[in-house]
Amino acid sequence: MAGDLELEKPIVELRRKISELKEFTNNTEVDLSSEIEKLENRLERLEKEIYDNLKPWDRVQIARHPERPTSMDYISRLFTDFFECHGDRYYGDDEAIVAGIAKFLGLPVTVIGHQRGKDTKENIRRNFGMPHPEGYRKALRLMKQAEKFKRPIICFIDTKGAYPGKAAEERGQSEAIARNLFEMAGIKVPIVCIVIGEGGSGGALALGVGDHIHMLENSTYSVISPEGAAAILWKDASLAKKAAETMKITAPDLKQLGVIDEIIPEPKGGAHRDVDLQAIEISEALKTSLKTLASLTEEELIDQRYQKYKQIGEYSFLNEYIGVN
Amino acid sequence: MLKDIFTKPKKKKYATIPSETARQDVPEGIMTKCPNCKKIMYTKELLKNVKVCFHCGYHHPMNSKERIESLVDPGSFRELNKTMISENPLDFPGYKEKMEADRQKTKINEAVVTGSAQINGLDVVLAIMDSTFRMGSMGSVVGEKITQAIEKADELGVPFIIFTASGGARMQEGVLSLMQMAKTSVALKRFSENGGLIISIMTHPTTGGVSASFASLGDYNLAEPGALIGFAGRRIIEQTIREELPEDFQTSEFLLKHGQLDAVISRHDLKARLASILEIHQPGGNFNWQEI
């Protein structure tokens, strides 16, 4: 199968052997069915062993898989009547973020997501899913619109980070991200966020201040890429694997830290193995979230969002006083 | 001379002028020539194709009557303010006569037609600007009719859809024209605060004061392909900055790229798209989430 990861090598090897044997039995009269059965049992055990014990670095690999489904893959499967709205009405249209209106289970929603490409051509158009300020401003414009028309907002998070570039700085990358965090805190309709791939830093968070934050099992969410962390901490980007383990960037870690609410399970081997099945899992999570949040008043919603972010972080106090006077 | 071989042949010195008889061979209006691809086609067939060129997809300008016929459910259009006409506030010489002549020519009373209608059974209030009347320029009546249409939409609690086509403010009404930008915007703000849905569809051309007021204030700003949309005219900008502007400057596609439009929509898809947007914004659809 195309796009197999290093960690899957033993599984791929075994699969190949099984199919060879099957072909052999088909072409000749020799009966190898007991052999095949044995191997298939072994395959099942091996898959379980590998996929149930994924290391953080393995998950990073899955989250970065070239075939990993993107926002548009889920949008086309989860929603009907999707109408993509372009432009921030100030400067440009950033194709690294898709946004629009649609129906989910027959009810109106606003959908926003980072969008990367799956091949080089599309990736160039989408700037590898790394937004400029106009992308965030488009997202905010649509959130405000959702608020006006009282429909919930669904955000798909999937970016290596906001684009580090000259033009982005000139147009106020920091302001655009900050403005989104600030405004999302006060949006009077439910916001449900789902991390579907890489959640990279401020670029991810700018679509990520919501009421419920979900994460796909093999996605990551972090203040910086493992490579970046390794470069800063140990001045060596090749220590990324170590950084991935230390930084606590996987869904189970984030759940434990109280940063996310739910983990959405993935098919064996990752979302790209069965996109339709993954879409159903996401649909279920969304349904539960939206149903729960719909029972809250506007005040309760915003207060709950406030409390949610207020309680993140850990601290303690010294016994003795250290201060300026 | 030898050097003549290497130079391009000069343009013909004399233009060929068709004789009076040849000119009358084809009666007025039967055929239409596409200004984009220069191909000639039957006007009737072109009308059936919502005035989109068969060859190059060029969107020929539509007048208000054609627009209404192509867009709303048959028989559902109820016109507002059919008889409102402009005064001559500045006593501008010849203004009244020009208006009268345009009324005769276009059979409409001003550069905008407003009314209530249904699109796929969904109620809306429409305002359709008509560039055949004084180039769709905006004076007091255009401003007032649009404002009253917005108020009507507010009163009925239905979406407001506007098709814009205008050369800008009407010079003959001076600063009163300018103030129509404010008047319509004030009305839109109140409508929007009350939760009203505004859809603006910019058609060729949408310029000057119209582009700098209601045309740009939609919850959804859409445009037809290839329309000229902008504030200051191309020639003025070129003269000011002394620089040649790109070919596609101020087209719908240019605006889309520069973040000013939600989408550019072909006239063929327009009705279906509008109906879909209206459907998503139907009241009562919101927050039945507890029942899913």
Side-chain angles (χ1 to χ4, degrees):
Chain A
M1 195 185 281
D4 291 311
L5 297 168
E6 188 66 34
L7 66 115
E8 296 169 317
K9 281 256 167 79
I11 299 174
V12 176
E13 189 64 16
L14 198 55
R15 273 219 193 97
R16 197 174 51 81
K17 259 185 209 156
I18 293 170
S19 68
E20 267 174 21
L21 283 184
K22 274 185 182 161
E23 207 172 309
F24 189 71
T25 34
N26 284 345
N27 294 339
T28 59
E29 292 297 304
V30 192
D31 183 27
L32 292 170
S33 55
S34 65
E35 289 291 319
I36 292 173
E37 208 186 311
K38 237 189 251 169
L39 283 179
E40 274 175 343
N41 285 338
R42 212 170 100 200
L43 177 68
E44 207 173 294
R45 278 201 310 276
L46 189 67
E47 277 191 332
K48 199 171 155 48
E49 194 187 305
I50 290 180
Y51 290 134
D52 287 357
N53 295 302
L54 288 175
K55 299 275 178 304
W57 186 244
D58 299 334
R59 291 195 198 272
V60 170
Q61 299 311 308
I62 296 176
R64 288 176 179 175
H65 196 285
E67 315 235 309
R68 189 161 176 88
T70 65
S71 295
M72 282 306 269
D73 290 318
Y74 295 126
I75 288 171
S76 63
R77 284 171 174 81
L78 291 168
F79 307 109
T80 57
D81 302 294
F82 178 66
F83 173 51
E84 187 178 351
C85 298
H86 296 273
D88 64 348
R89 302 261 170 100
Y90 299 113
Y91 177 82
D93 181 43
D94 188 348
E95 297 198 72
I97 288 185
V98 292
I101 54 172
K103 286 193 167 181
F104 176 62
L105 306 171
L107 295 172
V109 291
T110 287
V111 191
I112 301 166
H114 297 100
Q115 182 64 38
R116 57 191 168 74
K118 283 189 179 169
D119 52 44
T120 312
K121 199 175 153 208
E122 207 197 343
N123 258 324
I124 288 169
R125 185 176 138 216
R126 304 280 187 192
N127 198 33
F128 295 83
M130 294 191 282
H132 279 79
E134 46 273 25
Y136 297 116
R137 288 175 183 139
K138 167 168 73 177
L140 182 58
R141 177 171 81 80
L142 267 95
M143 289 183 208
K144 288 284 183 187
Q145 189 184 70
E147 186 178 38
K148 173 179 169 185
F149 295 111
K150 301 186 166 48
R151 56 179 172 244
I153 299 162
I154 297 159
C155 293
F156 293 108
I157 295 170
D158 184 17
T159 182
K160 291 181 187 305
Y163 186 65
K166 179 167 171 272
E169 296 297 320
E170 283 169 350
R171 298 198 286 274
Q173 187 75 286
S174 305
E175 196 278 345
I177 293 172
R179 184 66 49 197
N180 277 22
L181 310 182
F182 181 79
E183 293 293 342
M184 285 176 91
I187 295 270
K188 295 192 191 79
V189 292
I191 303 174
V192 180
C193 308
I194 305 160
V195 186
I196 59 169
E198 284 181 275
S201 192
L205 188 61
L207 299 185
V209 179
D211 302 298
H212 282 180
I213 317 295
H214 300 273
M215 247 177 113
L216 297 197
E217 197 185 333
N218 294 316
S219 56
T220 62
Y221 197 175
S222 167
V223 67
I224 192 169
S225 69
E227 289 81 359
I232 291 174
L233 293 172
W234 308 302
K235 301 193 169 45
D236 184 357
S238 64
L239 295 173
K241 193 173 171 182
K242 181 177 159 199
E245 268 144 38
T246 330
M247 299 279 294
K248 307 268 181 228
I249 61 174
T250 65
D253 286 335
L254 277 122
K255 172 115 205 252
Q256 209 175 7
L257 290 170
V259 171
I260 63 159
D261 298 279
E262 294 296 336
I263 299 171
I264 300 174
E266 285 188 30
K268 263 204 178 78
H272 60 284
R273 299 274 182 216
D274 191 343
V275 187
D276 292 327
L277 181 65
Q278 188 63 69
I280 293 169
E281 294 282 3
I282 294 177
S283 177
E284 286 305 312
L286 269 179
K287 195 172 147 182
T288 316
S289 275
L290 291 170
K291 206 169 170 165
T292 319
L293 294 169
S295 64
L296 302 175
T297 65
E298 284 178 4
E299 292 75 29
E300 286 168 342
L301 193 67
I302 289 169
D303 188 53
Q304 209 181 68
R305 207 177 293 155
Y306 183 89
Q307 297 304 336
K308 177 180 175 59
Y309 287 92
K310 171 82 168 64
Q311 57 87 24
I312 298 177
E314 276 181 40
Y315 51 82
S316 60
F317 296 97
L318 283 172
N319 290 328
E320 54 186 311
Y321 177 75
I322 300 175
V324 289
N325 54 356
Chain B
M1 294 254 285
L2 190 62
K3 71 169 184 186
D4 289 343
I5 298 171
F6 299 105
T7 54
K8 265 197 246 169
K10 283 199 180 115
K11 270 185 201 161
K12 268 191 250 166
K13 272 187 184 144
Y14 309 103
T16 44
I17 300 164
S19 67
E20 271 314 297
T21 46
R23 200 183 279 176
Q24 280 161 7
D25 272 357
V26 182
E28 186 76 14
I30 284 205
M31 306 297 283
T32 302
K33 187 177 178 183
C34 174
N36 187 44
C37 67
K38 314 291 186 215
K39 292 212 171 92
I40 292 169
M41 58 210 101
Y42 281 110
T43 305
K44 262 193 187 166
E45 303 237 314
L46 185 64
L47 258 178
K48 265 190 218 154
N49 199 36
V50 284
K51 297 188 91 174
V52 176
C53 176
F54 294 100
H55 307 285
C56 68
Y58 176 80
H59 282 49
H60 291 253
M62 263 188 163
N63 65 28
S64 46
K65 187 163 179 276
E66 292 161 343
R67 180 68 69 184
I68 290 165
E69 277 167 5
S70 75
L71 188 75
V72 309
D73 300 349
S76 69
F77 188 73
R78 299 277 172 277
E79 191 174 348
L80 294 163
N81 287 317
K82 278 187 217 181
T83 56
M84 188 188 290
I85 59 160
S86 194
E87 285 299 308
N88 190 356
L90 307 186
D91 285 326
F92 201 92
Y95 183 41
K96 284 226 152 179
E97 292 73 28
K98 273 192 178 149
M99 298 288 287
E100 181 56 36
D102 266 20
R103 275 200 291 276
Q104 295 300 330
K105 189 187 87 186
T106 60
K107 308 286 178 227
I108 50 175
N109 62 340
E110 253 292 355
V112 67
V113 173
T114 56
S116 60
Q118 288 190 326
I119 296 175
N120 283 9
L122 303 170
D123 289 315
V124 295
V125 169
L126 276 176
I128 295 162
M129 299 192 78
D130 195 323
S131 62
T132 59
F133 191 102
R134 302 269 89 210
M135 203 50 229
S137 63
M138 173 166 63
S140 306
V141 174
V142 169
E144 183 61 27
K145 281 180 87 173
I146 289 172
T147 303
Q148 287 198 21
I150 296 163
E151 288 175 345
K152 187 74 178 176
D154 205 4
E155 177 196 318
L156 299 173
V158 302
F160 175 68
I161 300 180
I162 184 154
F163 284 80
T164 61
S166 174
R170 187 169 296 166
M171 294 303 125
Q172 292 88 341
E173 293 189 33
V175 74
L176 295 182
S177 296
L178 180 72
M179 290 305 146
Q180 303 310 311
M181 292 167 67
K183 182 200 259 183
T184 49
S185 302
V186 167
L188 281 176
K189 178 66 181 171
R190 177 183 285 181
F191 179 56
S192 180
E193 293 286 308
N194 290 342
L197 169 64
I198 307 158
I199 304 175
S200 164
I201 301 107
M202 300 178 218
T203 69
H204 181 77
T206 294
T207 57
V210 166
S211 78
S213 58
F214 50 82
S216 299
L217 293 174
D219 293 300
Y220 302 93
N221 287 348
L222 315 176
E224 288 197 334
L228 170 77
I229 305 164
F231 183 63
R234 184 191 187 99
R235 209 175 25 162
I236 296 188
I237 300 174
E238 282 183 334
Q239 279 168 10
T240 311
I241 65 171
R242 302 195 176 280
E243 208 176 284
E244 206 173 310
L245 294 163
E247 182 84 353
D248 70 340
F249 185 68
Q250 293 183 328
T251 58
S252 309
E253 294 72 20
F254 176 90
L255 264 79
L256 181 70
K257 205 166 78 191
H258 288 88
Q260 306 303 313
L261 295 174
D262 286 290
V264 175
I265 296 174
S266 156
R267 208 174 271 163
H268 291 297
D269 307 329
L270 188 61
K271 185 171 181 176
R273 178 51 70 197
L274 282 177
S276 167
I277 296 175
L278 291 171
E279 179 67 36
I280 285 177
H281 291 80
Q282 280 307 293
N286 300 340
F287 284 86
N288 293 330
W289 291 102
Q290 289 183 62
E291 287 140 45
I292 60 173

